[in-house]
Amino acid sequence: MDQAQQLRNIIKANNVAPRPVARVITVTSGKGGVGKSNTSINLAIQFKKMGQRVIILDADFGLANIEVMFGAVPKHNLADLIYQGMGIQDIITWGPNEVGFISGGSGIAGMSNLNRDNLTYIVQNLAKLDAITDVIIVDTGAGISDAVLEFLVASGEILLVTTPEPTSITDSYSLLKALSRHSRFSSDMSQIKVIANKVENETEGQALFNKLSRVVERYLKLKIDYLGSVPEDSALSKAVMKQTPVSISSPTAKSTLAYEKIAQTLMNKENSQTVKKRGMAAFFSHIVSGKKAQNTTPNQ
């Protein structure tokens, strides 16, 4: 029995899929510097303002953007849950507006080597995470690494952040190309939504999406949706310098209002009902399955 099947059996045996499960939203980008982590944080703040319980999982192992922007350094990370026996509540750092934050640390990298007891413990704790939050935002690394793709494959809802820069559009296409060719990706199970960041106005944002969408549909046969745009805004830059989300420091700033609009779009009844919610236990199952497959694939 492979580890992924073992994990599914554990989930079933322990009845650890409470209903409703949390909505998992994965935020990604084809390259760094396009505002991916700012998007994660400010959407989290906006969701919180709408009465949602929100936790961010920082899965960008190379950088610590989320904790820098939060102005809070976590004492523990996911590795402490996996290897030190801590509970899920112990590794959550509470940031501005009581938005929770979990640092992935090195925990996810070693998940393919976990034994049954480790898996049972982690699944039970992730089920608790489903029970205490409504929305979990997974902030991935940038680019087309195997780690990023595994997170995207596991997610039923992907937000792709891009900018008008030609390199950003090209890298976004490359990311979608790699994702569409992934052996475990299913377009029927995942929604891909594009956010046009650092644009002059909504017209430029729509034009950016149209350009990307045309080539994606033509060459990848992949459907993507336009979620909205965030304008270039000096208030956002100042907020980053102050290590405070712009949605808190400047409630009426252009970028804040844009994030608010995007959050409302995501939370409207029609949109939220079409999302295939998997919850964190199922999300984790997909990650483990992918890492196990990587470890068992013979070298070419």
Side-chain angles (χ1 to χ4, degrees), residues 6 10 114-124:
Q6 185 181 56
I10 291 170
L114 301 177
N115 59 36
R116 183 180 178 85
D117 289 340
N118 289 141
L119 289 170
T120 301
Y121 180 76
I122 294 165
V123 167
Q124 289 173 341

Side-chain angles (χ1 to χ4, degrees), residues 159-173:
L159 305 190
L160 173 63
V161 182
T162 189
T163 73
E165 294 180 5
T167 53
S168 179
I169 299 173
T170 300
D171 289 337
S172 294
Y173 175 81

